[in-house]
Amino acid sequence: TGIVISDDIISTTTLRKVEDKIKYDPRMLIDPRTGKKARGEYDKNTDTIFLSLNAVNPDGNATDIEIQQRLNKVLDHEMVHALRAKDLITKSEYSYLTKMVKKTKFPNTKFPDKNQTFYKEAEERTAQERIGKPAAMQEEHIVEEAIAEYFANKDLLVNTPKKVEGIFNKIIEFFKSMGQAMRTSGYKSSQEIF
């Protein structure tokens, strides 16, 4: 899985062929409810996570630390999609996380309904993009988005069950071991790889 951080998301979702030319068209990544651009996307076609600097710092006033924190949160969310696409989260783990997102309330909720669960938030947020899809596919989309948000907000959760922490730590350790393997192979930074 690759990671690209750029001003905007340039993925297979945002590129269109128009009269023998490839054109940038970000409409698919704009939330119709809020008009905001997506902060990140996991592109299954290229196995790449794209992060948008413009979307995490739309007014240009965030500090470097704030930008890094926002990028980390988006990366955490998109990693779940990448791991799910590779079947690196087992069926039993995924089933357990599904139960958890359906009953766990969003921390420090910004929603009028203070009982908003991760599942309900994902259901509302993805309503437009699920139109016309079969019910089973819609449910899978909602659950995966809810689990991704659950992981992205892991630092805000209190009284997290040990099983959830274990699954989250497995994800974190997977990426740490990848970094360790690269360093062992002689690479000191990601720029040396590319």
Side-chain angles (χ1 to χ4, degrees):
T1 301
I3 300 171
V4 174
I5 302 172
S6 59
D7 289 339
D8 291 302
I9 296 171
I10 311 294
S11 66
T12 58
T13 305
T14 62
L15 299 176
R16 302 265 178 270
K17 188 173 183 179
V18 179
E19 299 176 8
D20 295 335
K21 292 184 180 180
I22 303 294
K23 302 242 179 178
Y24 174 66
D25 180 4
R27 288 179 291 179
M28 293 297 291
L29 295 177
I30 296 175
D31 185 333
R33 295 176 305 136
T34 64
K36 291 183 179 179
K37 289 182 179 179
R39 294 174 166 208
E41 177 192 32
Y42 171 64
D43 186 338
K44 291 179 185 177
N45 297 318
T46 61
D47 188 28
T48 304
I49 294 171
F50 291 90
L51 304 174
S52 169
L53 288 170
N54 287 338
V56 299
N57 187 18
D59 57 9
N61 294 327
T63 66
D64 288 348
I65 292 171
E66 290 170 325
I67 291 169
Q68 185 64 54
Q69 289 171 337
R70 292 173 189 174
L71 286 172
N72 287 345
K73 189 171 179 179
V74 176
L75 181 60
D76 284 350
H77 175 106
E78 299 305 331
M79 279 189 332
V80 170
H81 296 303
L83 293 171
R84 182 70 179 136
K86 297 173 185 327
D87 282 331
L88 293 175
I89 299 174
T90 68
K91 286 182 182 178
S92 72
E93 290 169 337
Y94 197 75
S95 177
Y96 182 75
L97 290 173
T98 299
K99 290 177 191 166
M100 293 306 299
V101 298
K102 288 185 175 185
K103 69 180 187 180
T104 305
K105 294 177 185 134
F106 226 89
N108 301 329
T109 187
K110 59 187 179 231
F111 308 104
D113 176 7
K114 299 295 183 198
N115 292 317
Q116 181 89 314
T117 63
F118 282 92
Y119 179 86
K120 190 71 176 158
E121 183 277 333
E123 182 179 45
E124 291 173 9
R125 182 170 38 84
T126 63
Q128 285 293 124
E129 57 198 75
R130 291 183 289 106
I131 292 174
K133 293 183 179 174
M137 190 180 273
Q138 287 192 40
E139 177 66 11
E140 177 59 27
H141 186 78
I142 294 166
V143 168
E144 187 172 316
E145 278 295 318
I147 291 171
E149 270 310 293
Y150 192 50
F151 184 65
N153 286 279
K154 67 187 175 306
D155 296 333
L156 301 176
L157 300 173
V158 289
N159 300 324
T160 306
K162 292 288 182 202
K163 188 169 182 177
V164 170
E165 286 180 12
I167 296 167
F168 287 170
N169 285 336
K170 175 182 151 183
I171 294 168
I172 292 164
E173 288 305 315
F174 172 78
F175 282 95
K176 280 184 181 176
S177 65
M178 280 181 53
Q180 189 74 25
M182 290 300 200
R183 284 187 289 284
T184 302
S185 298
Y187 295 105
K188 291 181 180 69
S189 75
S190 59
Q191 285 128 350
E192 292 178 7
I193 297 168
F194 302 103

